[in-house]
Amino acid sequence: MTPEYSPQASPGTEIWRNCRLLTMTAGSTLIDDGVVVARNGRIVFAGAASAAPAVPDADTIDVGGRLMTPAPIDCHTHIVHGGHRALEFEMRLAGASYVDIAKAGGGIASTVGATRALSPEQLVAEALPRLDALLAEGVSTVEIKSGYGLTIESELRMLRAARALATLRPVRIVTSYLAAHALPAEYAGRKADYIAEIVLPGLRAAHAEGLVDAVDGFCEGIAFDAAEMARVFDCAAELGLPVKLHAEQLSHIGGTRLAASRQALSADHLEYIDEADAEALARSGTVAVLLPGAFYAIRETRKPDIAALRRHRVPMAVATDCNPGTSPLTSLLLAVNMAATLFGLTVDECLAGVTSNAARALGLFDETGTLEVGKSADLAVWNCTTPAELAYRIGFNPLHSRVFKGQQQ
Ligand code: DI6
Ligand code: FE
């Protein structure tokens, strides 16, 4: 059994000096000679050395002129799951489409079988290497979804495993309930019964156990339509839980509009959104979470309308969507490179996408995502000096060190 992670003695006062500092606060620019001061794990100063307070009792860390940013956040993952889908990958190489495979009983359904077969300990053990790959790139906050159990007990087991990961590693884990991910075989042709008998009571049980931070769904022709998702979101509202939604990934069926109408934290994928969807997201303050790994892996051809999202000033986040089917990707930096190269995001948009806007997509903007007074001292130090180097490299990890809640990892 993997040993529990026990934080070192509680952090005192630390000062990181001599860094090229990107605070990612609104309108911020790169500070050539930056300083960050933290006390008991929270930021008390972040800015130019010339304006820094004297902190005589602090432990001083010389960052050596390296780039320092907020610790990256992966705001959309499915890292808790069993098995893999490499054979489907081969089928897709041979010309089968993701939708064909799903309709033939593969896809999510095949991962459901592999996931239900695992014990809670095995679920944790299989997720750990994926979590460690994200942490190795400086990630300090990870969102993890259920959605491969599709029975009440197995959905709870997935969420418990997600919570357990935060006891084994220095990381902030937030969970999303995704029982509305696919229709299990035992409910073939009976979506309304599945929602009534599994999804809704499962949500109530998960919430009662403190396992759910947000409620998600897969709004797509091969999954659940907007009216069905509205029933799930009604239950989330009764429980006071925020919502998010996989929307307009493979077609346009109104998921984005539904998410915006419920002031969702985020709408995710968005390859098939239109101008009115972007306008709706702007009105509701919902974050557009872009998932280029899935776009790339299933060889989608329709790109999200970034110009419309920009026109309406919709905050954009970038995440791995790490899952065994459409995005077996455990590198947030590669997702950043894809968001730039495939979707045309600027470096600034990419970096906001894995820091400030990713925090917004999780409802955590008051806690992390930027380096400013009062927030958690979640920092990343990089073996580079210019922000563009974080988006430019393909498959190279420039992380020098990671700080979580003020503690050097
Ligand atoms: N959209 C996706 O790309 C993943 N889930 C979803 O709603 C796919 C999950 C899988 O294929 O296992
Ligand atoms: Fe996903």
Side-chain angles (χ1 to χ4, degrees), residues 78 85 98 108 148 181 218 246 249 269 294 321 323-326:
H78 306 250
R85 302 249 288 281
Y98 178 76
I108 294 172
Y148 287 115
H181 194 197
F218 186 18
H246 290 64
Q249 177 184 2
H269 286 290
D321 190 18
N323 75 73
T326 63

Side-chain angles (χ1 to χ4, degrees), residues 74 77 79 131 134 139-144 171-174:
D74 195 350
T77 88
I79 63 169
L131 179 62
L134 296 174
V139 172
S140 283
T141 299
V142 178
E143 183 261 9
I144 303 176
V171 64
R172 183 184 293 103
I173 299 283
V174 292

Side-chain angles (χ1 to χ4, degrees), residues 16-40:
W16 289 266
R17 290 190 178 287
N18 187 16
C19 63
R20 290 171 62 77
L21 182 61
L22 261 186
T23 64
M24 297 309 294
T25 51
S28 66
T29 54
L30 184 63
I31 297 170
D32 276 335
D33 180 10
V35 162
V36 173
V37 183
R39 189 164 288 124
N40 301 325

Side-chain angles (χ1 to χ4, degrees), residues 393-404:
R393 290 197 170 89
I394 303 171
F396 177 82
N397 179 8
L399 184 75
H400 172 266
S401 51
R402 176 174 85 97
V403 177
F404 178 56

